[in-house]
Amino acid sequence: IPIIVESTKKTNDPNEGPFGAKELGMGIIGSGHAIISAIYNATGVMLKEFPVTPERILKALEAKK
């Protein structure tokens, strides 16, 4: 369910959202790939599904054997 938030703050910055919010999407997208890369570096298995759970890591480790 979308929630519309309107700000009473007036700004001239076209890149600024409600309550002074800035873009966040790229940080969220990049962090998931960084976590998967860290798991790959630690375990040697590359996960291809989100969310990463302990069960998926164990399953991938067992399949690697």
Side-chain angles (χ1 to χ4, degrees):
I1 299 174
I3 299 173
I4 298 173
V5 178
E6 293 186 27
S7 174
T8 57
K9 179 183 171 189
K10 301 297 180 199
T11 178
N12 293 330
D13 185 356
N15 298 318
E16 193 171 294
F19 302 104
K22 297 287 184 173
E23 180 179 348
L24 181 64
M26 292 306 293
I28 292 172
I29 293 169
S31 62
H33 296 289
I35 291 168
I36 285 190
S37 292
I39 292 169
Y40 174 73
N41 288 334
T43 64
V45 294
M46 179 61 72
L47 300 172
K48 296 180 173 83
E49 296 180 48
F50 286 105
V52 174
T53 62
E55 292 80 17
R56 286 188 177 163
I57 296 171
L58 286 173
K59 190 175 181 180
L61 285 170
E62 289 171 358
K64 182 182 175 186
K65 291 180 182 178

